[in-house]
Amino acid sequence: MKKLFSNIKGDAFGGITAGIVALPLALAFGVSSGLGPEAGLYGAIFISFFAAFFGGTATQISGPTAPMTAVSMVIIAGIVAANDGSVEKALPAILTVFLLAGLIQIGLGFLGLGKYIRYIPYPVVSGFMTAIGVIILLTQILPSIGYYPKEDAEFVAQFKPQAEEVILENILKEEAGEGILVLENFKETIDRAQQITPEQILNESQTLAAKEASGTVGAIKVLPRALKHINWLELMLALGTIIIIYGFKRITTAIPSTLVALVVVSGIAYGFNLGYRPISEIPGGIPIPRLEMFTNFSLGSITPYIFTALTLSLLGAIDSLLTSVVADNMTKTKHKPNKELVGQGIGNSIAAVFGGIPGAGATIRTVVNINAGGKTKLSGMIAGIMLLLIMLALSDVASKIPAAVLAGILITVGIGVMDYRGLKAIPSLPRDIKFGPVRLSSEVLIMLVVLLLSTFWDLIYAVGIGLVIASLMFMKKIGDLTAERSDVKSLKEEAWDDEGNFPSALKEEVFIKHLKGPLFFGSTSDFQALTEQIPDTAKTVILRLGRMQYMDQSGLYAMEDMLQDLKKKDVRVLFVGLLKQPRYMMERIGIIPEFIPNEHIFKDFKMCLQWIKSHVKDVH
């Protein structure tokens, strides 16, 4: 407890700043999910507070994120469609999925599975993150131009025959459930059909129209029609928001540009009474638990959603622990992955009970918190309290925010969440697999498969398929390498035979590290700890790479990050015994010669030792 209040001033400033940054995103993610802005706020409030209090990353700020919202949006749309298009009717099942996801995260933490998250290959993460950006962009095109399919009377009218069929089918299903023999009581069926009102047909038609335009495929389908019905005011509000977000960053980053855009554009729209479309009303007062999910609880009712909840929980775990790594790098601390999963699970579980959408560790908000002075869990808790106070005091004001402004904010989020590092590397990566006459890069193939399947089919299955493909390709490569070098045995971390005559006077100035085996997505975590092993006295590092037969894209970027860190510390790195495949990978993205010039690459240790004796002096 004493440690919690050891940095009150910095944590208060960091938490308040992170809370302000989170506000527009929470509102936007809530609207995007389909549950309304209050769902985003509730998620941000409860996840931020409880994930910080129970979690294992001191400076992490949690809340709804783009990946979690994108998956939640798909889950919500599916459950709503199965409940006659009624969000209120579907809400208990939706919140049950969110609650299950949180409970599974707690279980993953207690089982100690947090450390295994690092085995997710980089191309899978890259394809998934880029897909999230594409999904957000495509789904926000319609609201950014002010087109809502349910309000397009001509478009809705197309679904009237189908709506009548659906209503009649529902009547027949009700009769079957009531035990009525339809053929013998056909008159009763006709009587019920005659009681169908135009309002019922219109509501069902609107539901079908919204379903037709939902998701990325639906957005693409109705886009040509939407472009003929542009609401120019809504488009100007969305474009104004985007321009301010990117433009204000060039002036200063001290004030969040997203918040500036929200306030300025909303203020202009409201102040000049422009007749814009506001977001749905945000309820004021203390959030109330949504206990509907418990009233009709049964194991059979949640069984269909267990797999969905599991995948949502795994995504939240990956999202959070990746942010934890970012926080570690900035603060030079070490997070506790399993404790972090427990904290995230508790936060998501409580948020679900109050009707909030699920979330995870948020990288941008975490970075803002650290830069503003946050150092302990108190900062994340303050961020949650800050959002609660804003909601209690300003819910009426927030309800007047234009929907187009939130669409503009989400478009910038979609652009920002894409993995440009992975996309830029596509032309450079080696084409190591052959499909008939065509040669492709296995890393690029995995990324594109995950990207396309996530965007146009299913986010959850796409990641699973990507993992399977990555695992199969990795096993083949390692099998091939093992067959070629089957006489290589595992060695302990100790000096090799040719290092026996290394000058003892230079052992403080020179640090020797032996790499044995492939540097791939499963070993990057241990490799990243290399810089911590180097003593402060060492200004030259020798990497013995003669037994590192293979390097994948994850290992490549881990090597690049390590070399960048050492370069900042003015530590010189020498390569000894670099093999063909790792060298080819490093040359393709410029590690050689940008970080390691050719004169610092030696065929064997004898040549390296001669260079050391000529260029390194004993200064101790």
Side-chain angles (χ1 to χ4, degrees), residues 501-557:
N501 58 353
F502 190 87
S504 57
L506 298 178
K507 287 185 177 179
E508 287 187 24
E509 282 77 21
V510 180
F511 176 78
I512 302 175
K513 176 66 180 178
H514 311 93
L515 297 184
K516 298 163 289 212
L519 181 57
F520 70 109
F521 60 82
S523 61
T524 54
S525 178
D526 294 331
F527 179 77
Q528 286 165 346
L530 174 60
T531 51
E532 298 176 7
Q533 302 172 14
I534 301 172
D536 295 334
T537 56
K539 290 301 176 184
T540 302
V541 173
I542 299 174
L543 292 183
R544 303 290 304 269
L545 306 175
R547 293 190 174 111
M548 188 187 77
Q549 310 97 328
Y550 172 74
M551 169 187 281
D552 73 355
Q553 194 177 4
S554 301
L556 183 66
Y557 290 136

Side-chain angles (χ1 to χ4, degrees), residues 58-106:
T59 54
Q60 181 144 283
I61 305 294
S62 302
T65 62
M68 291 294 280
T69 303
V71 175
S72 299
M73 181 172 60
V74 174
I75 293 170
I76 292 165
I79 298 177
V80 168
N83 285 270
D84 303 325
S86 171
V87 174
E88 198 60 35
K89 189 176 177 182
L91 192 59
I94 293 169
L95 297 182
T96 298
V97 173
F98 295 165
L99 176 61
L100 278 174
L103 295 176
I104 291 171
Q105 281 184 327
I106 296 172

